[in-house]
Amino acid sequence: MASLTTTTMMNALSALPPAHWCQIFFGLSTAVVLAIQVVPKTTQRLLLDYGARSPANTTDTDDRTEEPTGPNGLDFFTQAAKAVTSFGQIPHAWFMHFYVASVAGSAFWAWQYFQSGSVMAIISGRQAASGGPVVSFEQTVLVWTLMALQGTRRLYECLFVMKPGSSRMWFVHWLLGLGFYLCMSVSVWVDGSAALRQEAKPNLEGLLSPGVVAGTVTYLYGWSNQHKCHKHLASLKKYSLPEEGLFRYLICPHYTCECLIYLGLAIIAAPKGYMVNRTLIGALWFIVANLGTTADGTKQWYAQKFGAEKVASKWRMIPFVF
C-alpha cells in the first residue's frame, strides 16, 4: 500500500506542468525561511544572517541576543546549529555568482529559443499542453528582457560599484540564491510557452495595456532607485549608517526596490483576466520573506552599532507596514 501511494504521488508530481514546479520551488523556499522564524533568535542568526551581520564575522561581545541556557534544551539546539553552520563558510563576495547565473540563464534560454533548442522545446511543450493561463508573446519578451536587465545591472554593480569585503556566509545561502535565479530564468517565460511556440506577428499594442504599463513603471522605479541605493552603500565608510535618499525613511530601501522589481514583473506578465502572474508572484513572496527577515536583522544590528534612537523612526522594508 505504501509503495502504491508513493508511486501515485510520484506520477502526480511528474505530471505537473513546468510552471507549477517553479511555483513549488518558490513556495518551499519561502516556507523554509518562515519556519526558521519560530526557532530561538540566536539560532535564527546562525541560520539566516550573512555578511557583516553574520555570527561568523562578529565577536561574542557583539552578540546581545544570546539565549540563556535553560532546562528546555534551547541552548543545545543553538549549539547544534552553530556546529552545522561552522562548516561551509564561503566568501560573501560569491553573491556575484547569483547574477552570473541570472545573466547566463537569460542568455541560454534566448539561445534555445532562437535555435529551436530541444530543452526549451520539451519544457514549453509540456507547459503548453497543460492548458494553463497563457501570457502573450509581447509580455513574455518584455519580462524576459527586464529580468536580463536586472541581472546585468546587478552583475555590473558587483564588479564595478560595490566594495569587495572579507565577510563570509553559509554555503546554503549561496545554493538557495543560485537556485532562485536559475528558477527565475525559466519562470519569466514558462507561462508564455504557448505563445512562444506560435509564429504569430507581435502585437505591440498589447504592451500599452494598463497592467503592463503599471508593472513597467513599478519595475523601473524599483530598478533605478535600487542602483542609487547600492551606489550610496558603496560610498560609505565601513560600518557607517546610510542616511541619504530613501535611507532617510527605510532601513533597507534597496530591499524595498527589489520587491518592487519583482512585483512589476508579476504585474507585467499577468495572463488575460488575471492581476498578476502566479509563478512570478511566488518569486515575490520568497523575496519578501527572505529580505524581510534580513531587514529585521539589519535594524537590530544598526541599533546595536549606532544606537536604537538612530533607527527607531525608520521602517525596515515596507513603508507603513514593516
Side-chain angles (χ1 to χ4, degrees):
M1 179 64 71
S3 61
L4 181 61
T5 302
T6 302
T7 302
T8 302
M9 183 179 298
M10 293 301 295
N11 289 337
L13 289 174
S14 63
L16 289 174
H20 286 187
W21 279 106
C22 294
Q23 294 167 22
I24 289 171
F25 173 81
F26 293 137
L28 290 177
S29 300
T30 303
V32 169
V33 173
L34 294 177
I36 294 176
Q37 304 309 306
V38 303
V39 304
K41 286 292 184 181
T42 304
T43 309
Q44 286 184 32
R45 288 195 59 205
L46 290 166
L47 296 173
L48 296 177
D49 285 0
Y50 54 83
R53 296 176 296 101
S54 171
N57 302 305
T58 58
T59 63
D60 292 338
T61 56
D62 291 331
D63 189 357
R64 304 181 188 181
T65 60
E66 191 72 30
E67 299 286 344
T69 303
N72 55 10
L74 292 181
D75 186 67
F76 171 78
F77 188 46
T78 300
Q79 290 300 321
K82 186 174 183 179
V84 170
T85 56
S86 65
F87 295 98
Q89 290 290 324
I90 60 176
H92 184 244
W94 282 21
F95 254 57
M96 182 178 68
H97 297 171
F98 300 162
Y99 311 115
V100 172
S102 179
V103 173
S106 296
F108 172 77
W109 293 116
W111 174 76
Q112 281 281 299
Y113 174 73
F114 287 113
Q115 296 295 321
S116 300
S118 59
V119 180
M120 189 175 198
I122 293 172
I123 296 175
S124 62
R126 290 194 60 178
Q127 181 64 32
S130 70
V134 178
V135 179
S136 73
F137 177 83
E138 299 77 28
Q139 289 171 283
T140 302
V141 172
L142 178 58
V143 170
W144 197 340
T145 302
L146 293 178
M147 187 63 207
L149 185 63
Q150 169 68 0
T152 301
R153 197 207 79 231
R154 291 295 289 118
L155 181 58
Y156 166 80
E157 289 172 348
C158 287
L159 291 172
F160 303 109
V161 177
M162 307 305 291
K163 297 177 182 177
S166 59
S167 59
R168 306 184 72 79
M169 63 178 176
W170 194 27
F171 78 100
V172 173
H173 295 146
W174 179 73
L175 290 176
L176 186 59
L178 283 180
F180 173 82
Y181 282 101
L182 291 174
C183 188
M184 273 300 301
S185 72
V186 176
S187 299
V188 292
W189 60 262
V190 70
D191 286 306
S193 293
L196 291 174
R197 292 172 66 85
Q198 299 173 356
E199 296 185 0
K201 184 178 180 180
N203 177 22
L204 298 182
E205 291 183 1
L207 298 180
L208 299 178
S209 68
V212 173
V213 172
T216 303
V217 170
T218 301
Y219 169 92
L220 291 176
Y221 179 86
W223 190 88
S224 59
N225 279 282
Q226 187 180 61
H227 181 60
K228 293 178 183 177
C229 291
H230 288 157
K231 286 183 66 177
H232 177 52
L233 288 173
S235 70
L236 296 174
K237 294 182 179 179
K238 191 175 183 180
Y239 301 144
S240 56
L241 187 65
E243 294 284 4
E244 290 185 7
L246 295 175
F247 284 101
R248 290 175 293 177
Y249 316 106
L250 295 161
I251 294 293
C252 297
H254 48 313
Y255 293 170
T256 309
C257 293
E258 185 88 354
C259 294
L260 290 175
I261 287 169
Y262 285 91
L263 175 61
L265 294 177
I267 295 173
I268 294 169
K272 187 175 181 179
Y274 290 77
M275 293 187 65
V276 294
N277 180 287
R278 289 184 296 186
T279 304
L280 295 182
I281 207 68
L284 174 63
W285 295 141
F286 171 72
I287 290 290
V288 171
N290 187 40
L291 296 186
T293 299
T294 306
D296 184 55
T298 300
K299 185 168 186 176
Q300 295 177 27
W301 189 79
Y302 280 168
Q304 292 174 9
K305 290 290 182 181
F306 309 110
E309 69 282 356
K310 294 285 188 178
V311 295
S313 63
K314 296 184 180 183
W315 298 100
R316 294 168 178 82
M317 188 175 78
I318 304 176
F320 311 109
V321 177
F322 174 73

